[in-house]
Amino acid sequence: MRQILAKIVDPERRRVEAVDPKGHEVVMDASRPDGDGSGMSPRAAVLAALAGCTAMDVTSILRKKRQRVDRYEIAVVGEEAMEHPQAYTAIRVEHRFHGDVAAEAIRRSIELSATRYCAVNALLSRGVEIEHRYRLTRLDGSETTALVAVTGPQGTRLA
């Protein structure tokens, strides 16, 4: 079981400090006028959790495959419903790699994260479709892009 303690720092504002048992802190806040924007919004924190979870999986798997990545970024975009609670209606995850990495190793690492290892993806996929793709830019400047998988309430589709 995991536990997070969330503390309201200023009852007049909506700033929240969430702390885990090891003392790691995440600050969340609302934009003005309800907050001062000093932290990430809770909805943005959900996307950040997805990015962090899948990045940890993918880097671990690539390391086991002896793949060397020069640079790795993840862009996560969440489409929000117009009406409240403005939940995500779709999420796109793009893994961006730079270096001489085997495209098949990238594809398989993302597939394993999306379908087996990333708990945040598993949780979110119960209610929203998540598209997983990658862009690989090699040292010579050539690029490869591909859709890897789509996970969601209707199950998983592999590309």
Side-chain angles (χ1 to χ4, degrees):
M1 183 187 313
R2 296 187 191 269
Q3 177 181 344
I4 299 291
L5 175 64
K7 177 174 66 173
I8 305 299
V9 177
D10 178 357
E12 295 300 314
R13 299 289 181 185
R14 295 188 339 195
R15 181 184 165 105
V16 174
E17 294 177 356
V19 182
D20 74 4
K22 293 182 179 181
H24 302 112
E25 184 177 272
V26 174
V27 176
M28 293 173 278
D29 197 1
S31 299
R32 293 189 188 279
D34 296 324
D36 63 11
S38 63
M40 194 177 287
S41 75
R43 280 185 290 195
V46 169
L47 297 181
L50 175 59
C53 183
T54 191
M56 290 178 197
D57 292 340
V58 169
T59 55
S60 175
I61 296 165
L62 286 173
R63 188 172 37 254
K64 290 174 187 171
K65 291 178 174 287
R66 293 177 168 60
Q67 297 292 306
R68 186 174 172 276
V69 177
D70 292 332
R71 192 169 80 219
Y72 176 33
E73 304 168 336
I74 300 175
V76 181
V77 177
E79 295 178 22
E80 299 172 343
M82 295 300 290
E83 65 282 345
H84 287 284
Q86 295 179 312
Y88 292 118
T89 58
I91 299 173
R92 290 184 309 279
V93 180
E94 183 180 70
H95 299 258
R96 299 173 180 167
F97 295 91
H98 297 268
D100 283 329
V101 186
E104 176 56 23
I106 290 172
R107 186 204 64 74
R108 182 66 176 148
S109 298
I110 294 169
E111 178 186 316
L112 287 169
S113 176
T115 62
R116 188 177 298 167
Y117 296 120
C118 181
V120 176
N121 187 80
L123 177 67
L124 292 174
S125 290
R126 292 179 179 182
V128 65
E129 190 172 271
I130 305 174
E131 179 183 280
H132 305 267
R133 56 178 52 251
Y134 73 88
R135 178 186 310 158
L136 168 60
T137 305
R138 292 183 185 80
L139 296 178
D140 66 6
S142 63
E143 278 195 357
T144 301
T145 61
L147 175 65
V148 175
V150 178
T151 61
Q154 279 72 41
T156 299
R157 295 186 318 269
L158 300 178

